[in-house]
Amino acid sequence: MDLNKLANALIPDESIRPLEYYEARYPERTLEKGAHVTRLAPSPTGFMHLGNLYVALANERIAHQSGGVFYLRIEDTDEKRKVEGAVEVIHASLKYFGVRFDEGADLCGEYGPYYQRQRAEIYHAYAKELIKKGLAYPCFCTEEDLEKTREHQTENKLLPGYYGEFAKCRNLTEEEIYANLAAGRPYVIRLRSQGNVDVKHTFHDEVKGDITITENNQDVVILKSDGIPTYHFAHAVDDHFMRTTLVIRGEEWLSSLPIHIELFKVLGFRLPKYGHNCSIQKMDDETRRKLSKRKDPEASLSFYREQGYHPTAVRTYMMTLLNSNFEEWMLKFPDKDLEEFKYSIGKMGKSGALFDILKLNDISKTQMAKLSEEEAYDFLKAWANEFGTAAQKAYFADKAYMLKVLALCMGVGGKKRRKDFICAKQAVETIGYFFDETFAPAYAYRFDNALVKKILLSFKNAYAYADDSAAWFDKVKAVAGEYGFATDMKAYKADPAAFFGNVSDVAEMLRIATTGLANTPDLWTIMQILGEERTLARLEKAAAAL
Ligand code: GLU
């Protein structure tokens, strides 16, 4: 059969240039020895999974720490999964978490285009080459034909797929092929696999170590009937011409590795190094399962932004999942920049990484407590501007006032830092009582309303804004004593039945009246921040509500 003629008939793409052109157009990169070229290659589905950040961080760290390049390639060959604006989402969400690309989609770079749909010419050139060499062929099987084969294989407990005797179009004659073409029957291009499933090899996976690989014998589709390549084929061509040296990707791709190895081989390309990292799992009652896009809100990267997790906290937590010695390093050097940690592929987990939101929350609290006054203000403000209510946005109009609130609630600007807040949403919601627009308390006291009312009014009359904390507390004690509450804890403990309660119960009433909450930071300071007028108004309003 004239394979050149067949290749031209099957792929009549005029734009194709001689293969040498592509090799020259995308030359080997000049990099230091040991430098890695890595990539993130997501489909533009609009959804960014925590796993995307996980893989991105690993690839980014390896590239940048080795003096290499980290790029973004958009794998948009599957039109059905494509969502408008998805690439912006990819950039924005990864940028938020500090993942920087050196080149790629929507950035500059010498190895583009970085959208697979724009690289048809290259895929066609190489598919054509495989046809010319007899390593690929047209397949005219319909969905029904394939379905029949599948049923037969299932019934007879045979390996599924298009191979051996089931590869019906593998040995079509020249006449049959041209008759099909003349009849206008749609076709795909398949690899003519040279492999044998009885042959096994040892393969060195950068993450998992040595693993056993069975040769591929599937005549996988390389070009679909619309001329668009499959992921398998496109990624092989792209990783070659973008000069990728190392592919760290999810372990769900491990089962496709034999196909990829064969594709690189038939294309005559050097295989990059591969490392398959384990998926992120979580405990569901007693069982471990994959973090699921459908079931777990925390599987989505947007969850962390909406909640206002500090990006450094998420990044830090991801590093604890990615490198087993990271935590030790972090404890040893709590103030060092994450970038200084020496990332190592060898320390990546071989089996599932267990996601633990409590641990992330802990890291987040520590991170929030590290923010300077300005950083805390800017961070919370940015969150409120993007996700907060109109009232929450307005909190930030008076910066001096907000800084006082943050000094009290987070300890910013001071030596003793509080670790109350996990994320911006929680912080902004919690400080809502400092702002009249959102102050709508559901006053819940533990004492008789009539008694509380008297106490509130009595304190209101005694309150003086100029009092220092000690004078203020003396007044709280005086009111407590007046209404039968112990002011001396020893006396109270000796005979609790002799009192209604003690001074801290009275303080709690005042706290609920002015903040709506039973637990807050120092109440004297809160009243100082609220100011005299507002404090008195709140006491008055609370008393009137009883
Ligand atoms: N496009 C694939 C995905 O969406 C990329 C796999 C790879 O990194 O090779 O996960």
Side-chain angles (χ1 to χ4, degrees):
M1 194 178 328
D2 181 344
L3 293 176
N4 276 326
K5 182 178 149 215
L6 178 64
N8 286 331
L10 294 173
I11 305 180
D13 185 338
E14 301 277 309
S15 62
I16 294 174
R17 287 169 263 206
L19 300 189
E20 304 74 59
Y21 166 82
Y22 303 105
E23 288 291 342
R25 162 73 185 81
Y26 302 108
E28 288 280 1
R29 295 174 186 255
T30 39
L31 292 167
E32 295 290 312
K33 198 165 171 280
H36 276 298
V37 179
T38 66
R39 72 339 186 246
L40 187 72
S43 300
T45 60
F47 181 83
M48 284 298 273
H49 194 282
L50 190 62
N52 290 118
L53 176 64
Y54 186 64
V55 166
L57 265 177
N59 281 298
E60 186 270 343
R61 288 291 72 205
I62 293 163
H64 289 153
Q65 288 197 343
S66 66
V69 175
F70 175 51
Y71 70 87
L72 173 68
R73 179 170 76 225
I74 300 299
E75 305 214 321
D76 55 356
T77 55
D78 188 350
E79 190 71 4
K80 288 196 284 296
R81 300 181 70 201
K82 195 170 151 194
V83 165
E84 251 354 279
V87 179
E88 285 79 13
V89 171
I90 294 170
H91 274 296
S93 42
L94 291 172
K95 191 169 160 218
Y96 180 75
F97 294 106
V99 175
R100 298 174 286 120
F101 292 102
D102 303 300
E103 60 181 59
D106 296 0
L107 299 167
C108 47
E110 292 298 309
Y111 289 79
Y114 296 91
Y115 285 83
Q116 289 185 325
R117 287 217 158 227
Q118 295 170 20
R119 301 171 66 81
E121 171 194 340
I122 317 175
Y123 308 129
H124 289 172
Y126 280 83
K128 212 163 168 176
E129 181 66 10
L130 293 184
I131 297 167
K132 287 183 192 165
K133 288 185 172 155
L135 291 168
Y137 64 87
C139 166
F140 298 91
C141 286
T142 61
E143 251 324 299
E144 294 75 59
D145 296 333
L146 298 176
E147 185 53 40
K148 257 191 227 144
T149 307
R150 264 196 290 274
E151 276 166 18
H152 173 83
Q153 288 168 335
T154 316
E155 268 164 32
N156 295 283
K157 299 201 168 47
L158 296 164
L159 284 178
Y162 204 86
Y163 62 93
E165 61 184 292
F166 304 111
K168 301 233 170 61
C169 296
R170 189 175 164 112
N171 295 315
L172 291 183
T173 63
E174 193 167 4
E175 290 71 40
E176 285 169 324
I177 292 175
Y178 284 105
N180 279 327
L181 289 179
R185 292 183 65 188
Y187 57 92
V188 299
I189 305 294
R190 286 184 184 272
L191 168 75
R192 187 187 301 278
S193 172
Q194 310 295 305
N196 175 349
V197 275
D198 294 330
V199 180
K200 302 199 187 306
H201 299 281
T202 298
F203 180 85
H204 184 73
D205 185 281
E206 297 298 313
V207 175
K208 299 202 179 292
D210 283 347
I211 52 175
T212 303
I213 292 275
T214 303
E215 265 187 17
N216 171 57
N217 72 339
Q218 299 277 337
D219 285 0
V220 291
V221 175
I222 59 173
L223 287 189
K224 294 181 261 188
S225 56
D226 53 5
I228 302 290
T230 54
Y231 159 70
H232 302 307
F233 188 62
H235 108 280
V237 172
D238 291 343
D239 278 332
H240 174 70
F241 285 113
M242 294 181 183
R243 306 294 174 180
T244 312
T245 61
L246 171 67
V247 175
I248 299 288
R249 61 182 179 184
E251 64 187 352
E252 65 274 20
W253 296 107
L254 198 52
S255 57
S256 308
L257 187 59
I259 298 172
H260 300 165
I261 294 175
E262 183 169 16
L263 282 171
F264 273 88
K265 193 169 158 194
V266 296
L267 286 163
F269 298 156
R270 189 171 64 232
L271 192 68
K273 289 184 168 156
Y274 282 95
H276 293 85
N277 70 351
C278 46
S279 48
I280 305 180
Q281 304 181 331
K282 75 178 261 184
M283 286 310 280
D284 199 350
D285 289 329
E286 296 296 289
T287 48
R288 266 171 101 121
R289 64 164 174 79
K290 256 172 113 168
L291 200 60
S292 139
K293 166 175 166 181
R294 210 165 33 83
K295 292 191 207 150
D296 309 309
E298 71 272 28
S300 162
L301 273 191
S302 56
F303 169 82
Y304 303 92
R305 293 189 64 187
E306 285 158 16
Q307 295 293 312
Y309 276 88
H310 195 277
T312 307
V314 177
R315 202 175 149 97
T316 305
Y317 178 60
M318 283 281 113
M319 291 299 280
T320 69
L321 288 183
L322 276 167
N323 250 203
S324 56
N325 58 333
F326 174 75
E327 242 177 307
E328 203 185 305
W329 177 87
M330 187 173 69
L331 291 172
K332 221 162 145 191
F333 308 106
D335 297 320
K336 276 203 178 177
D337 196 303
L338 289 189
E339 310 264 313
E340 289 182 49
F341 170 71
K342 182 98 195 64
Y343 191 88
S344 130
I345 313 178
K347 295 275 196 281
M348 288 174 71
K350 293 186 183 10
S351 49
L354 195 59
F355 178 80
D356 177 2
I357 196 140
L358 297 178
K359 189 162 168 185
L360 167 63
N361 290 348
D362 238 37
I363 292 178
S364 300
K365 283 184 186 170
T366 307
Q367 179 58 35
M368 293 285 264
K370 279 187 189 169
L371 302 180
S372 70
E373 219 177 13
E374 287 295 318
E375 284 168 344
Y377 176 83
D378 290 346
F379 175 59
L380 299 183
K381 183 179 174 181
W383 177 85
N385 280 342
E386 193 167 357
F387 300 104
T389 60
Q392 288 171 335
K393 287 187 181 72
Y395 293 175
F396 296 85
D398 183 346
K399 183 167 176 180
Y401 184 76
M402 179 56 98
L403 289 183
K404 279 192 223 161
V405 172
L406 297 184
L408 175 67
C409 299
M410 295 175 73
V412 298
K415 285 216 173 62
K416 236 182 113 243
R417 297 300 301 258
R418 297 178 64 102
K419 288 193 178 179
D420 296 19
F421 299 135
I422 295 168
C423 53
K425 183 169 195 273
Q426 180 204 14
V428 173
E429 280 171 3
T430 307
I431 61 175
Y433 62 83
F434 282 98
F435 304 89
D436 285 342
E437 301 80 354
T438 41
F439 181 65
Y443 311 113
Y445 304 98
R446 291 186 294 112
F447 292 87
D448 176 61
N449 280 354
L451 176 63
V452 176
K453 184 169 185 158
K454 279 188 215 149
I455 290 177
L456 296 183
L457 291 174
S458 172
F459 180 80
K460 182 183 165 259
N461 287 332
Y463 181 75
Y465 183 74
D467 286 345
D468 65 9
S469 161
W472 175 89
F473 193 54
D474 284 342
K475 286 184 178 168
V476 178
K477 281 206 271 191
V479 175
E482 191 184 332
Y483 289 95
F485 286 76
T487 51
D488 172 41
M489 286 313 276
K490 257 199 212 133
Y492 178 69
K493 277 193 188 130
D495 187 8
F499 304 94
F500 276 129
N502 64 58
V503 68
S504 68
D505 296 316
V506 171
E508 184 187 284
M509 295 173 203
L510 300 174
R511 194 181 298 281
I512 293 174
T514 37
T515 69
L517 303 169
N519 286 305
T520 66
D522 180 62
L523 186 56
W524 174 78
T525 315
I526 291 176
M527 291 184 177
Q528 288 291 306
I529 296 173
L530 288 172
E532 181 165 14
E533 202 182 311
R534 194 152 30 183
T535 301
L536 294 177
R538 286 192 180 186
L539 290 167
E540 173 94 46
K541 185 178 161 203
L546 293 168

